[in-house]
Amino acid sequence: MILGIETSCDETAAAVITDEGEVLSSVIASQSEVHARYGGVVPEVASRRHLEQIGPVIGEALVGSGVGLDGISRLGVTRGPGLIGALLVGLSAAKAIAWARGLPLVPVDHLQGHVASLYLGPTQVEPPFACLLATGGHTQVLAVRERGSFERLGTTLDDAAGEAFDKGARLLGLSYPGGAEIDALAQSGDPQAFSFPVARVPGLDFSFSGVKTSLLYTVRSLGEAAVAERRADLAASYQRAIVTALTRRLHQAAEAGGFSRIAIVGGVAANSELRATLPEASVAPLALCTDNAAMIASAARYTAPLSPAEALTVDAYASAS
Ligand code: KG4
Ligand code: ZN
């Protein structure tokens, strides 16, 4: 059994999975309400919240799994990328448990964790496949040839797709984090009501700064009353532009890499239009798309663990290398 711990951003999460990838418990204490009033995550506030929640969250995951600490044979913890102070809370907790219980520990890359969400549950995805990874901090297309690694084929040159959703939501007067809110609002809107640009970037990279600026200008020229009246149309059209950019790149990446299968992971993979536009794509259950610790435990299955003494020397990192 593997205990996973995740504290890279504003979710304090712990989970227990079996070595085969069955999720026995997955506890997520979200801080989004705390950060909503600031319109984004405040790093120092996040670290303090993680400190308060990490103990109870790990305890709840262990009790909920029915296994307890005695049944755990390996730890997986997010090492980066993310907010450094937030990461250190989870990493320190994992080191302490590893040392106290003599357990091996795997430091996990958060992005590898998102990909490993596909290796959980009864219908696990087997590489090779081309994968779209779209979160609040990253947007990349990946070539996945084996479970333990991936190769990056393209990345965003500016904002991440989730960030574009969140910033767009803010312009529309919705609360943080805005992706799910735009998704819900777009259900009753016309995606063709407004024309927002899909960036033309060479290669397999992305750019979302143009679509965001275009929404800003549209909102300004419409004025408050018209925006309020047409909010659903704006959300649907904006969402359509982002989803088009994402799906186009994923298909191009699959073709370039010679992959016959595609998958989508990360918080934005929860988007209902993206899922509906790509019915052939493998995708994890909704609860495993946004940040969670089961995916971190899953990734920990594919890397050789460190001894407790080695684990004590591991540092967190803020950005992807
Ligand atoms: O993977 P994730 O939980 O955290 C990071 O690693 O960043 O992704 C969070 C992002 C946020 O930007 C959020 O707005 C977005 O995923 N998101 C969505 C949806 N649910 C979450 N974006 C679009 N549609 C959704 N349904
Ligand atoms: Zn994430």
Side-chain angles (χ1 to χ4, degrees):
M1 308 286 170
I2 305 165
L3 171 64
I5 298 173
E6 151 66 37
T7 61
S8 68
C9 192
D10 61 345
E11 254 99 37
T12 316
V16 176
I17 70 165
T18 66
D19 296 351
E20 289 72 41
E22 187 193 344
V23 182
L24 300 181
S25 65
S26 178
V27 178
I28 303 167
S30 174
Q31 307 177 3
S32 53
E33 265 175 44
V34 186
H35 299 285
R37 84 182 82 145
Y38 305 106
V41 179
V42 183
E44 196 44 44
V45 174
S47 309
R48 282 172 203 216
R49 256 303 155 103
H50 283 306
L51 269 178
E52 288 163 14
Q53 294 183 323
I54 190 75
V57 164
I58 292 173
E60 200 182 323
L62 287 168
V63 171
S65 69
V67 174
L69 207 43
D70 287 342
I72 301 297
S73 55
R74 177 182 288 213
L75 294 165
V77 61
T78 308
R79 182 183 183 189
L83 302 170
I84 203 80
L87 287 161
L88 285 174
V89 176
L91 187 57
S92 305
K95 285 180 182 179
I97 297 171
W99 182 259
R101 307 290 295 209
L103 288 170
L105 179 148
V106 179
V108 172
D109 181 89
H110 184 79
L111 306 186
Q112 180 68 52
H114 274 298
V115 176
S117 67
L118 297 166
Y119 311 142
L120 289 167
T123 50
Q124 301 186 15
V125 186
E126 227 23 87
F129 54 86
C131 187
L132 168 71
L133 181 151
T135 71
H138 298 86
T139 296
Q140 306 185 348
V141 272
L142 313 169
V144 184
R145 297 194 176 85
E146 54 177 34
R147 284 191 167 193
S149 65
F150 58 71
E151 181 197 345
R152 199 176 78 185
L153 303 176
T155 188
T156 182
L157 304 176
D158 39 57
D159 289 351
E163 203 177 349
F165 270 110
D166 295 339
K167 288 178 176 171
R170 203 172 175 182
L171 290 172
L172 294 177
L174 307 170
S175 59
Y176 174 87
E181 296 221 17
I182 289 198
D183 191 348
L185 191 59
Q187 311 275 342
S188 55
D190 174 5
Q192 272 152 5
F194 295 89
S195 164
F196 292 117
V198 176
R200 294 189 183 278
V201 182
L204 290 170
D205 290 336
F206 301 87
S207 168
F208 293 103
S209 60
V211 67
K212 180 192 63 187
T213 309
S214 175
L215 177 65
L216 171 69
Y217 288 149
T218 307
V219 163
R220 274 195 195 152
S221 69
L222 280 173
E224 223 169 285
V227 168
E229 200 181 304
R230 308 207 56 193
R231 197 168 273 141
D233 286 345
L234 286 163
S237 305
Y238 186 68
Q239 174 173 275
R240 174 63 56 87
I242 297 175
V243 166
T244 302
L246 293 173
T247 51
R248 198 176 278 174
R249 276 301 188 243
L250 178 55
H251 283 132
Q252 286 167 343
E255 205 182 310
F259 293 99
S260 58
R261 282 176 309 132
I262 55 173
I264 48 176
V265 298
V268 178
N271 184 264
S272 57
E273 181 168 349
L274 182 63
R275 292 166 90 100
T277 311
L278 295 170
E280 74 279 28
S282 298
V283 54
L286 278 184
L288 295 175
C289 288
T290 41
D291 285 350
N292 66 87
M295 69 184 198
I296 302 302
S298 177
R301 292 184 289 161
Y302 307 108
T303 305
L306 304 175
S307 70
E310 288 167 331
L312 289 182
T313 67
V314 170
D315 266 336
Y317 52 82
S319 31
S321 53

